[in-house]
Amino acid sequence: MTGLLVVTAVPAEAEAIQAGLADATVAVVPVGVGPAVAGAATARLLALAEAAGRPYRGVVSAGVAGGFTDRVPVGGTVLGTRAVAADLGAESPDGFIPVDELGMPAELLGGGTSVAADADLLAALRAALPDAIVGPVLTVNTVTGTAASTETLRRRHPDAVAEAMEGYGVAVAASHAGLPFAELRTISNPIGPRDRSAWRLREALAALTAAAPVLR
């Protein structure tokens, strides 16, 4: 049996994790941006490992994220209690309707619009990262970039701490494989009006390197 599969979006995130991690049983793989490619690639990696007789024992979606800065500072670390597909659903005159409230049969919804992190894996990560902020991490297809959309997200997900683009896809792949899932993010920018001058990508990648040893 192998160890964890750690999935990132881009090579820079994978390299930051590998810089803080010296453990050959942990595979760190950049798979691409967005929930569709992340979910498909994760499912393929899990299936190949199982077919080779070396199944993984858990999956972590990791990388940088935008943060609600009244809940987590730029440069801070987040552990997701659940991955939420924040824009999977339908618009209506009365507002957004999550897909699991549209009356579809439960078997067509997979894990619904929210997949919880594995309790034991999350507890182990929390114990190793006591200063991390813990809460739901939103998965979006379109990064939030206006004050109005930020406020809409706050109202719909009042306990969310961050947003990224891959966690839900990775979580669904892990769930279908029957494996524990968790999400680890470091904050590179505030959620809100798009302002690249406010991004601190270097600091977020350094925080990812600092957090990486917990993945052993």
Side-chain angles (χ1 to χ4, degrees):
M1 178 178 287
T2 56
L4 288 176
L5 171 63
V6 179
V7 177
T8 73
V10 299
E13 294 166 323
E15 291 163 6
I17 292 170
Q18 289 164 335
L21 184 64
D23 189 335
T25 71
V26 179
V28 185
V29 185
V31 296
V33 176
V37 68
T42 300
R44 181 174 184 272
L45 290 167
L46 296 177
L48 288 173
E50 184 174 359
R54 299 190 299 274
Y56 292 103
R57 58 185 175 86
V59 185
V60 176
S61 178
V64 303
F68 290 103
T69 51
D70 58 336
R71 298 166 196 168
V72 56
V74 172
T77 299
V78 163
L79 293 171
T81 54
R82 63 184 187 273
V84 181
D87 51 12
L88 182 60
E91 289 186 328
S92 81
D94 297 320
F96 180 80
I97 305 172
V99 71
D100 45 9
E101 295 179 15
L102 292 175
M104 296 181 184
E107 61 269 19
L108 298 181
L109 298 177
T113 57
S114 178
V115 179
D118 178 77
D120 291 337
L121 182 52
L122 179 59
L125 293 173
R126 291 185 71 174
L129 292 170
D131 295 329
I133 305 300
V134 180
V137 177
L138 308 180
T139 298
V140 295
N141 286 281
T142 302
V143 172
T144 304
T146 68
S149 55
T150 301
E151 184 55 33
T152 297
L153 273 188
R154 286 182 182 277
R155 289 197 305 268
R156 282 172 35 206
H157 305 283
D159 55 348
V161 294
E163 72 168 20
M165 300 183 76
E166 294 79 34
Y168 178 76
V170 177
V172 169
S175 176
H176 278 249
L179 292 175
F181 161 82
E183 188 163 6
L184 167 65
R185 297 283 174 179
T186 57
I187 303 304
S188 60
N189 59 280
I191 297 172
R194 189 169 178 81
D195 177 10
R196 288 301 298 267
S197 68
W199 288 32
R200 298 292 181 266
L201 186 57
R202 183 177 299 176
E203 289 89 336
L205 292 173
L208 205 55
T209 298
V214 306
L215 298 172
R216 294 176 183 148

